[in-house]
Amino acid sequence: MLARSLLVLSIACLSQVLGTPAVLEDRAAQEQHPTTALYKKFLLFEQYAAAAFCPDNNKPPGGNLLKCGPGICPDVEKAKAKSSTQFQNSLKTDVTGYVAVDQTNKLITVFFRGSESIRNWVADITFVDTDTQLCDGCKAEKGFWESWEEAEKRDGITKAVKVAKDANKGMFLTLLIVEQKHKTNQGADYQIVVGGHSLGAAVATLAAASLRKAGNKLDLYTYGSPRVANEELRKWIEKNSDSSSAKPTPRQSNSNYRITHSDDLVPQLPPKITGLQHIGPEYWIKPSGNNQQVMQKLTEKDVFIFADGQNKSGNSGQKGDKSAHGWYFAHIVACYPQNDKVEFKA
């Protein structure tokens, strides 16, 4: 009996020292970092998200080369990515963005801009969820879902993606016929990537789910996304996330890449009490500096992977601060005319 009591006491003391199993799991996750190849994709798609803030990239109808200010999206501009559809906010919602084709990197990109004012969309969050009909019991925050529905009904995002797929698959196959050395790649499709920053990240998450429901394989890259889905929808998105990439990424269970930065306030909203959850895994940029000098020094070792989107050791374990929200590998909101005020105007 004494031996058993000592064993229980020892286990209890050990738990106090090392932490709970959940905390231990989170600590173990911090030993994992994205591969160099994946980290480079984070940098590229941050530029695509930044490009969505540039007014010339979202004025209808589209058909333009994506352009940003100096140093904001150089890789996008170098690739000569061209929009096929551009859409802007309306009186009802703030949904804005573009569908573009990058023939250099064989990409079809669908990116949504962040909100003009974090104060406005935080004030407008209803804390009410709504049925998405993506699966039984799958619900999303009402405002985010309505934003996606408006973009889909008004601008036909799913149709635009299909048109881009069909057009560029045909072009690719023509090139394959002309250049016989590429015969082994016949039939390959362009990779579809959906993403955005802030409110745009929330809309992108729901857009990706709907596009996947329609049969599209794609990758989702979000930066500073708020909580979007209830538990049923979160599980469905994580399960139904076939990648359009040629090979799965090591240590990545699906093709959702939810990136957070330090103590960014926005991923901590809406509060957990609403029942809304985050998509996993989380890729947490740990350094808290909010300037270009700090961002330029980042490497893949500064990004930590947490498989569970509800973990308490990444962004959710920090005291929320709004200043981190505009910095994701670079000044992601730099192209917007009001600059940082795009998210935090008084």
Side-chain angles (χ1 to χ4, degrees):
M1 184 70 178
L2 178 60
R4 182 179 179 183
S5 298
L6 289 173
L7 177 61
V8 172
L9 180 61
S10 298
I11 293 174
C13 291
L14 186 61
S15 296
Q16 289 294 321
V17 173
L18 297 179
T20 63
V23 172
L24 287 173
E25 182 179 351
D26 284 350
R27 288 176 180 171
Q30 289 201 37
E31 300 302 319
Q32 297 188 3
H33 307 282
T35 62
T36 301
L38 179 57
Y39 183 77
K40 289 180 179 179
K41 288 186 177 182
F42 290 171
L43 301 183
L44 174 61
F45 296 125
E46 179 276 331
Q47 293 185 30
Y48 271 101
F53 282 97
C54 305
D56 288 342
N57 296 334
N58 49 55
K59 291 179 180 178
N64 309 314
L65 291 176
L66 298 183
K67 296 288 186 180
C68 307
I72 296 175
C73 65
D75 295 328
V76 175
E77 293 178 337
K78 183 178 179 181
K80 298 187 182 302
K82 186 176 182 180
S83 69
S84 59
T85 300
Q86 297 180 181
F87 49 94
Q88 285 185 320
N89 56 302
S90 68
L91 293 176
K92 184 178 180 181
T93 74
D94 194 32
V95 63
T96 297
Y98 62 81
V99 178
V101 176
D102 176 345
Q103 293 183 358
T104 300
N105 296 301
K106 302 291 189 293
L107 298 172
I108 296 171
T109 60
V110 184
F111 274 76
F112 298 86
R113 190 197 70 188
S115 175
E116 290 186 347
S117 168
I118 189 174
R119 184 187 65 183
N120 288 351
W121 77 254
V122 168
D124 289 342
I125 290 178
T126 61
F127 300 127
V128 174
D129 53 26
T130 188
D131 187 15
T132 64
Q133 298 184 343
L134 289 169
C135 71
D136 291 339
C138 282
K139 296 183 178 182
E141 198 282 327
K142 185 177 180 181
F144 300 153
W145 181 251
E146 288 181 346
S147 292
W148 160 242
E149 281 194 314
E150 181 182 3
E152 176 67 342
K153 291 177 181 178
R154 182 189 66 195
D155 305 297
I157 306 302
T158 300
K159 181 179 179 180
V161 169
K162 183 179 186 304
V163 169
K165 280 176 61 180
D166 292 345
N168 289 284
K169 183 175 181 179
M171 180 182 297
F172 194 37
L173 287 174
T174 300
L175 290 173
L176 292 172
I177 293 171
V178 174
E179 300 181 26
Q180 295 298 313
K181 63 182 180 180
H182 294 302
K183 278 186 175 180
T184 55
N185 293 323
Q186 283 197 14
D189 289 320
Y190 276 38
Q191 178 185 357
I192 302 173
V193 177
V194 180
H197 170 255
S198 193
L199 171 65
V203 178
T205 301
L206 298 174
S210 297
L211 287 166
R212 285 165 172 162
K213 182 76 172 182
N216 296 285
K217 292 184 178 182
L218 58 88
D219 293 344
L220 172 67
Y221 289 81
T222 64
Y223 302 82
S225 177
R227 294 185 176 95
V228 174
N230 70 348
E231 183 176 7
E232 288 79 7
L233 179 55
R234 186 264 301 172
K235 289 181 177 179
W236 188 90
I237 292 174
E238 291 177 350
K239 181 179 179 180
N240 296 276
S241 56
D242 290 341
S243 174
S244 60
S245 300
K247 296 180 180 179
T249 303
R251 298 193 295 270
Q252 173 74 15
S253 59
N254 56 46
S255 57
N256 303 313
Y257 303 90
R258 184 176 64 85
I259 303 162
T260 63
H261 177 211
S262 185
D263 54 358
D264 183 0
L265 173 65
V266 172
Q268 299 176 19
L269 300 172
K272 294 179 181 178
I273 195 172
T274 62
L276 295 174
Q277 297 187 358
H278 271 307
I279 308 305
E282 174 186 9
Y283 290 81
W284 179 49
I285 307 170
K286 188 174 183 179
S288 59
N290 304 316
N291 58 67
Q292 195 66 31
Q293 185 177 6
V294 173
M295 294 294 102
Q296 288 177 341
K297 293 180 180 179
L298 294 178
T299 72
E300 60 267 31
K301 300 300 182 183
D302 294 308
V303 181
F304 299 89
I305 305 174
F306 297 95
D308 183 4
Q310 319 324 310
N311 76 83
K312 299 179 181 179
S313 294
N315 171 267
S316 294
Q318 316 305 310
K319 184 178 180 180
D321 181 81
K322 66 182 183 181
S323 61
H325 191 54
W327 295 91
Y328 276 81
F329 305 110
H331 200 191
I332 198 167
V333 300
C335 198
Y336 194 75
Q338 298 184 43
N339 213 320
D340 276 329
K341 292 183 180 180
V342 65
E343 296 294 345
F344 305 108
K345 66 183 179 184

